[in-house]
Amino acid sequence: MAVYNTEPEGDVKVDSSSASEEFADAVSGINEKRLMLKIDTHVLPILCILYFLAFLDRINIGNAVVFGLEEDLGMDPRSNQFNTALTIFFVPYVLLEIPSNIILKKLQPHAWLAGCMFCFGILTIGQGFVKSYGGLLVTRFFIGVTESGMFPGCYYLIGMWYRRPDALRRYTYFFNSTTLAGAFGGLIAYGTGYMQGMRGYGAWRWLFIIEGAVTCFVAVLAWFLISGFPEQARWLTEAERQWMKKRMEAEHGNEPTEDPIRFSDVIEVLKDYKISLGALIYFSFLVPSYCYAYFSPTIIKSYGYSTLQTQLHSVPPLAMAFFLSLAIAFASDQLRHRYLFVLFNLLVAIAGIAILLTVHDKPRVQYAALFLVVFGPYCGMPVAICWFTMNVGGHRRRAIGTALQLGFGEIAGIASTFLFQAKDAPYYHTGYSIAISFFTLAAFWSSCYFLACWAENRRRDRLMADAESTAENSMTGDGDLNMSYRYML
């Protein structure tokens, strides 16, 4: 029988009557802070770099448009061709996330993630050489295929190394890869702007070629640097592996990593309404998030900035979000609470969108409002994703649940790509109205999820308080299905 924490924020408790003498000897020689630092340095940096490049290769098309991609490929700026090019990426991206996590569990994480990374690096380079709109659509589609495993795979892998009270800061470091990608994307685009016409290529082509080449190079290093699951890590000593195994049983039970995922496991996860609520939260966050990632250069340019000034002005809001998200993650971990932090960030973002909807003739005020808008996607979304991801326990349930929640949420990428159209410039009333609606929906679904977890914790408290039902219910399942498991609020 697995031993679980009755409080999500508590330390791992091992029943002394069942703990082996070997484990007790191993624990006595483990310095927890030193081991966690060792884990942080081996697990997080390469995954952060990996997703930084993945997100950069995904959103750099927004910077490329400012450099004349549409004109060079004969696209009509007044049509929806650019929006279609954004949308086609998400079709395979959404459909392949669950299969990708199943494959990652069968293969070694380093092989699957590094292989995917190398492939989308090659495709990004190819995107720099396309000669027509059709070629752009083909490369965008296959970039979506190869990137589909990155986000859910990395999130799943990180979740198998950290307990819930320790996870948010790590997830925020990882998620901030997207913030840095947006910020550095503007700086890189600014630099490539001076390469316009070099060797006969436009600046937007150099943007794709350079970023794709760097991605391929890092993918080769990632093959050697990405860690597997704790039970497989060669850089841990045997005593450290045993310590981690017992420690993580409080999150996942004693389910072995190598247990295969069955179709019945997928059905079981699909029946859990809390998984569906997590997916709806992520979806509601992502619609305005992708709007900002793809269209902020176009929006900023409408404030009267030149092409190069536009690239530079896209950096400060994201730089601010980077540092604030770290502070918010630290506070949330210290207080062992998620919901109110999610709600606060959403309210700030809603205020920012409200300003953009009502102020049309003051570029400085409109630009300042963008600093508020980024609170939602870049400060609130890491808290929300960590919240519902880490509330799914067990190897199989987390592999499926993470992919399902994140995969469904990515449908937002399809919806968001048509919200800011050229015909609505420069006020974009339709896009802003829908964005504020989805931030409001995210607050609603987060409240529903909070109440669902609170109610389930209360129900389990009542059952565990009944001495006769404790023995009957304590082994109802592994991970978060176990009666002694408590959801973080």
Side-chain angles (χ1 to χ4, degrees), residues 107-117 222-224 226:
L107 300 178
Q108 294 292 325
H110 78 276
W112 180 244
L113 294 176
C116 290
M117 185 180 188
W223 178 279
F224 302 99
I226 294 175

Side-chain angles (χ1 to χ4, degrees), residues 195-247:
M195 300 177 69
Q196 175 67 32
M198 185 180 293
R199 296 188 177 273
Y201 293 143
W204 66 268
R205 294 187 183 274
W206 284 114
L207 183 66
F208 291 144
I209 293 169
I210 292 172
E211 291 178 358
V214 172
T215 299
C216 290
F217 174 75
V218 174
V220 175
L221 299 180
W223 178 279
F224 302 99
L225 297 177
I226 294 175
S227 297
F229 300 108
E231 300 92 329
Q232 304 163 340
R234 296 181 180 179
W235 45 269
L236 291 177
T237 66
E238 183 58 32
E240 289 169 339
R241 274 194 290 271
Q242 290 300 318
W243 188 88
M244 282 295 298
K245 179 180 178 181
K246 286 294 182 181
R247 189 175 193 264

Side-chain angles (χ1 to χ4, degrees), residues 277 281 337 339-340 387 445-455 488-489:
L277 285 174
I281 294 169
H337 185 79
Y339 169 63
L340 290 179
W387 184 22
W445 294 124
S446 297
S447 299
C448 291
Y449 184 73
F450 168 80
L451 292 173
C453 292
W454 176 81
M488 182 172 274
L489 302 179

Side-chain angles (χ1 to χ4, degrees), residues 347-365:
L347 292 176
V348 174
I350 288 171
I353 296 289
I355 293 173
L356 293 173
L357 271 171
T358 55
V359 178
H360 300 137
D361 56 351
K362 298 179 180 178
R364 291 186 178 181
V365 175

Side-chain angles (χ1 to χ4, degrees), residues 86-395:
L86 298 180
T87 302
I88 199 169
F89 166 91
F90 289 99
V91 176
Y93 190 84
V94 170
L95 296 176
L96 297 177
E97 289 204 355
I98 292 179
S100 177
N101 259 15
I102 294 174
I103 295 172
L104 179 142
K105 198 170 185 300
K106 286 180 175 292
L107 300 178
Q108 294 292 325
H110 78 276
W112 180 244
L113 294 176
C116 290
M117 185 180 188
F118 187 83
C119 290
F120 69 71
I122 291 293
L123 288 163
T124 301
I125 295 174
Q127 196 172 225
F129 291 100
V130 296
K131 301 295 185 182
S132 65
Y133 174 60
L136 179 66
L137 292 180
V138 171
T139 54
R140 292 292 297 176
F141 178 86
F142 284 104
I143 289 174
V145 171
T146 52
E147 275 199 30
S148 61
M150 306 307 294
F151 193 43
C154 291
Y155 251 78
Y156 168 44
L157 185 58
I158 293 172
M160 305 315 295
W161 280 95
Y162 299 101
R163 297 180 307 146
R164 285 174 290 170
D166 307 320
L168 179 55
R169 278 169 288 174
R170 277 78 179 189
Y171 273 125
T172 302
Y173 297 147
F174 173 75
F175 192 84
N176 269 333
S177 303
T178 64
T179 312
L180 290 176
F184 276 93
L187 291 175
I188 295 169
Y190 177 79
T192 56
Y194 290 99
M195 300 177 69
Q196 175 67 32
M198 185 180 293
R199 296 188 177 273
Y201 293 143
W204 66 268
R205 294 187 183 274
W206 284 114
L207 183 66
F208 291 144
I209 293 169
I210 292 172
E211 291 178 358
V214 172
T215 299
C216 290
F217 174 75
V218 174
V220 175
L221 299 180
W223 178 279
F224 302 99
L225 297 177
I226 294 175
S227 297
F229 300 108
E231 300 92 329
Q232 304 163 340
R234 296 181 180 179
W235 45 269
L236 291 177
T237 66
E238 183 58 32
E240 289 169 339
R241 274 194 290 271
Q242 290 300 318
W243 188 88
M244 282 295 298
K245 179 180 178 181
K246 286 294 182 181
R247 189 175 193 264
M248 296 309 292
E249 279 183 4
E251 297 286 324
H252 310 296
N254 52 13
E255 175 190 341
T257 306
E258 61 272 11
D259 277 6
I261 294 176
R262 301 179 295 269
F263 182 72
S264 59
D265 297 321
V266 178
I267 298 301
E268 182 184 72
V269 172
L270 287 171
K271 292 179 179 178
D272 188 344
Y273 72 97
K274 294 188 297 300
I275 301 291
S276 300
L277 285 174
L280 289 169
I281 294 169
Y282 187 50
F283 175 81
S284 301
F285 261 108
L286 266 190
V287 170
S289 174
Y290 274 126
C291 287
Y292 187 90
Y294 283 122
F295 298 108
S296 58
T298 303
I299 293 170
I300 292 172
K301 190 175 183 180
S302 71
Y303 299 156
Y305 297 112
S306 68
T307 298
L308 291 180
Q309 286 177 329
T310 295
Q311 308 294 5
L312 283 181
H313 277 79
S314 68
V315 176
L318 296 171
M320 179 211 67
F322 174 81
F323 291 106
L324 284 179
S325 64
L326 296 179
I328 289 168
F330 179 81
S332 180
D333 274 351
Q334 288 294 109
L335 295 175
R336 306 293 195 261
H337 185 79
R338 305 293 187 235
Y339 169 63
L340 290 179
F341 287 93
V342 173
L343 195 62
F344 168 76
N345 286 294
L346 284 168
L347 292 176
V348 174
I350 288 171
I353 296 289
I355 293 173
L356 293 173
L357 271 171
T358 55
V359 178
H360 300 137
D361 56 351
K362 298 179 180 178
R364 291 186 178 181
V365 175
Q366 292 169 275
Y367 180 64
L370 294 179
F371 284 78
L372 302 180
V373 173
V374 299
F375 266 83
Y378 295 104
C379 297
M381 192 155 59
V383 183
I385 298 175
C386 177
W387 184 22
F388 59 70
T389 297
M390 296 302 288
N391 269 346
V392 183
H395 273 277

